Amino acid sequence: FACSNETTPAETVEANETPAATVDAAPTMVAATPKLNIGDTAPDFTLAGTDGATHSLDAMKDDHQGFIVTFTCNTCPYAVKYEDRIIELHNAMSAKGFPVVAIQPNDIAIKPGDNMEAMQQRVADKEIPYLYLLDAEQSVYPTYGATRTPEVFLLDNNRTLLYHGAIDDDYEGEDVSVSYVKAAIAAHLAGQLIHPADVKAVGCTKK
């Protein structure tokens, strides 16, 4: 994922828009990839983590209500800006059964700062509490249709896509008024409609 110069913050969906409406947080300037739609079943994966183990969603499903699958990395400035908020998101939402599962999708030949050793160092330096996995063969992110870092796919424990896109409405983190992921989880747990369910992520694009 290479950095995009787009910095337009996410817009708020108006009440009269459809619940699954897509909110443009930034113009999409990426190659087309298959995209999961809300309600689709996301594919499982088995990936190595910074903890030295391999992990899959299905192996963890009985222990959680769902997963905040987040494509992110060490080197993207947008991902770096979001890092503390992703840690806070995990700490708050894992208590409700929705841990963050982070996946680093970059080509490490192009971005050596995103290799496993660098990921492990980042985990140590930041005391990252969530799983941080490496998509070493770049085989997972295309199946999700991920095009940016960071980009969230909120799943229930059957891997049904509940929400997709931005974490919140201010990538700078200085004036956040809506935490889309937290709101989606709250609505899901209350049996309510998730709205908005799809908000385009602001971040670095596929590399």
Side-chain angles (χ1 to χ4, degrees):
F1 283 61
C3 277
S4 165
N5 291 324
E6 299 298 337
T7 59
T8 306
E11 300 172 355
T12 303
V13 175
E14 298 296 331
N16 62 356
E17 293 188 80
T18 57
T22 298
V23 185
D24 285 335
T28 303
M29 300 176 65
V30 295
T33 57
K35 180 185 174 183
L36 294 174
N37 294 310
I38 302 302
D40 286 352
T41 300
D44 196 16
F45 49 75
T46 300
L47 295 174
T50 56
D51 59 355
T54 57
H55 301 273
S56 71
L57 297 180
D58 282 355
M60 299 184 288
K61 64 179 292 185
D62 291 341
D63 298 324
H64 303 289
Q65 295 204 50
F67 305 97
I68 307 169
V69 175
T70 305
F71 291 88
T72 189
C73 66
N74 294 349
T75 59
C76 168
Y78 295 90
V80 172
K81 280 185 177 290
Y82 266 109
E83 196 167 48
D84 287 341
R85 277 174 283 167
I86 295 172
I87 291 171
E88 189 278 329
L89 181 67
H90 169 80
N91 289 337
M93 296 297 100
S94 61
K96 298 179 182 294
F98 286 84
V100 168
V101 177
I103 299 175
Q104 194 297 96
N106 287 351
D107 182 345
I108 62 174
I110 298 172
K111 292 286 187 179
D114 287 324
N115 66 25
M116 179 60 82
E117 292 76 14
M119 291 167 60
Q120 290 170 330
Q121 187 62 55
R122 193 72 176 177
V123 167
D125 290 346
K126 295 288 292 185
E127 299 182 348
I128 290 173
Y130 47 79
L131 291 176
Y132 194 14
L133 314 179
L134 177 61
D135 186 8
E137 297 182 356
Q138 296 190 294
S139 60
V140 174
Y141 83 79
T143 66
Y144 277 67
T147 60
R148 296 182 183 268
T149 55
E151 184 171 356
V152 166
F153 293 78
L154 176 64
L155 313 177
D156 69 13
N157 62 358
N158 291 314
R159 293 186 275 110
T160 302
L161 183 62
L162 305 175
Y163 168 84
H164 160 256
I167 293 169
D168 57 39
D169 64 344
D170 179 22
Y171 81 91
E172 292 280 4
E174 297 175 356
D175 191 25
V176 174
S177 60
V178 181
S179 176
Y180 296 118
V181 178
K182 287 182 180 179
I185 290 172
H188 174 69
L189 292 177
Q192 299 173 352
L193 190 67
I194 294 173
H195 178 65
D198 199 331
V199 179
K200 287 184 181 178
V202 176
C204 299
T205 53
K206 182 164 101 56
K207 179 69 174 178

